[in-house]
Amino acid sequence: MLTIIKGAGDIASGIAIRLHRAGFKIIMTDLEKPTSIRRTVCFSQAIPDGKTTVEDVTAVCVKSAEEAIKMLDTDVIPVIPDENADCIKLLKPDIVIDSILAKKNLNTTIDDAPIVIAVGPGFTVGKDCHAVVETKRGHNLGRVYLSGSAAENTGVPGNIGGYTNERIIRAVSDGIFRQVCNIGDLVEKDQIVAYVDDNPVRCSISGVLRGILPDRTPVFEGMKSGDVDPRGIREYCYTVSDKALSVGGGVLEACLRLSGLLNQKEL
């Protein structure tokens, strides 16, 4: 079944890996200039680099839907720089998964495909999509909803190692972001990890730098620009997170459940 995943950040990449390993034919879309933080585990990194590998799965950047289709019989995932996922109208996929994680519905409709699955808050089953998968950490993470919506966005990041908001590195002003530290670096509280123009950006806690924007990214004040993992385990920077795996499992379940329901209706 042809599946288009909108977004290619870390959660979307975890979804893609789970579906790819289960035999789904996948095409991903993202911005022409991605703003993913956890770049070492994001298939969006294929867009600036041409190619990237997360765990045992490789993605390559292609420039058109036609190129993407030609690659479906290979063992790689094609990623198209296609901000509005216009390729959906051309390719008419069996499944569309909105994993942009914008906390609201940008342009997904329930008519985009026979099966439309949305990830996280901002979507209502029956109105925007056929299923929603929970992204909020806690008891319901990865749960599939066939009615209603996911938990509302609280604006508070998930708790890791006892920290929530403190984990996040944010731009201190509008301007151009310049990283000083790299993903995988061990950092100390109040250390300068980047600059926005000439303004220093510091981390609030000690740990390992799990994610950071690339050089020369235009940012606005308060924009999420990095992520410190207080557990300090470098290996976690290079493998799919527990959250992404859980959400990916929920999406896989939703695909299979909805496919079964669709087949029953056709019979």
Side-chain angles (χ1 to χ4, degrees):
M1 301 180 78
L2 177 58
T3 303
I4 292 181
I5 301 178
K6 298 170 65 175
D10 61 310
I11 300 298
S13 298
I15 294 168
I17 284 176
R18 289 233 135 158
L19 267 58
H20 176 80
R21 289 172 176 165
F24 284 69
K25 300 294 185 181
I26 298 166
I27 295 172
M28 304 184 78
T29 66
D30 209 297
L31 304 174
E32 186 172 349
K33 294 183 178 180
T35 55
S36 300
I37 301 295
R38 296 200 60 211
R39 292 176 283 134
T40 49
V41 289
C42 293
F43 288 134
S44 59
Q45 198 60 27
I47 294 176
D49 292 351
K51 180 179 180 180
T52 194
T53 298
V54 180
E55 297 193 9
D56 60 344
V57 180
T58 297
V60 297
C61 180
V62 297
K63 299 301 182 183
S64 68
E66 291 80 7
E67 282 186 69
I69 285 293
K70 291 177 182 177
M71 302 196 69
L72 289 180
D73 290 330
T74 69
D75 198 38
V76 301
I77 296 175
V79 183
I80 309 174
D82 183 2
E83 180 174 354
N84 296 314
D86 293 325
C87 64
I88 290 173
K89 296 177 183 177
L90 178 64
L91 297 177
K92 296 179 171 55
D94 302 293
I95 302 173
V96 167
I97 301 164
D98 188 321
S99 56
I100 296 172
L101 298 182
K103 310 297 191 299
K104 60 182 179 180
N105 187 354
L106 297 180
N107 65 354
T108 292
T109 75
I110 199 169
D111 298 320
D112 283 340
I115 295 173
V116 178
I117 300 167
V119 177
F123 302 89
T124 301
V125 175
K127 176 187 174 185
D128 305 301
C129 55
H130 301 99
V132 169
V133 178
E134 184 62 71
T135 57
K136 183 179 179 181
R137 287 187 183 273
H139 181 73
N140 290 320
L141 177 63
R143 191 175 296 274
V144 177
Y145 301 117
L146 298 183
S147 63
S149 306
E152 292 185 12
N153 178 35
T154 63
V156 179
N159 189 313
I160 295 180
Y163 295 95
T164 56
N165 285 312
E166 303 93 335
R167 296 190 296 107
I168 307 303
I169 297 167
R170 298 190 182 277
V172 294
S173 63
D174 298 352
I176 302 299
F177 189 84
R178 175 167 58 91
Q179 69 176 99
V180 173
C181 296
N182 297 307
I183 294 174
D185 286 352
L186 293 174
V187 294
E188 298 294 331
K189 181 180 178 180
D190 295 327
Q191 180 177 334
I192 296 174
V193 296
Y195 288 88
V196 177
D197 295 335
D198 294 325
N199 302 313
V201 178
R202 303 176 187 271
C203 54
S204 299
I205 60 172
S206 300
V208 65
L209 192 62
R210 192 169 70 153
I212 193 166
L213 287 174
D215 275 333
R216 304 192 64 76
T217 301
V219 295
F220 55 85
E221 183 176 356
M223 178 176 172
K224 183 178 178 180
S225 304
D227 179 7
V228 176
D229 187 337
R231 295 170 295 186
I233 302 173
R234 281 195 176 101
E235 289 78 6
Y236 290 176
C237 300
Y238 308 103
T239 54
V240 179
S241 70
D242 55 344
K243 179 176 179 178
L245 286 175
S246 182
V247 173
V251 172
L252 177 57
E253 176 194 328
C255 289
L256 297 177
R257 287 177 69 180
L258 291 171
S259 295
L261 292 172
L262 198 60
N263 289 335
Q264 288 177 16
K265 289 181 181 179
E266 291 175 351
L267 293 174

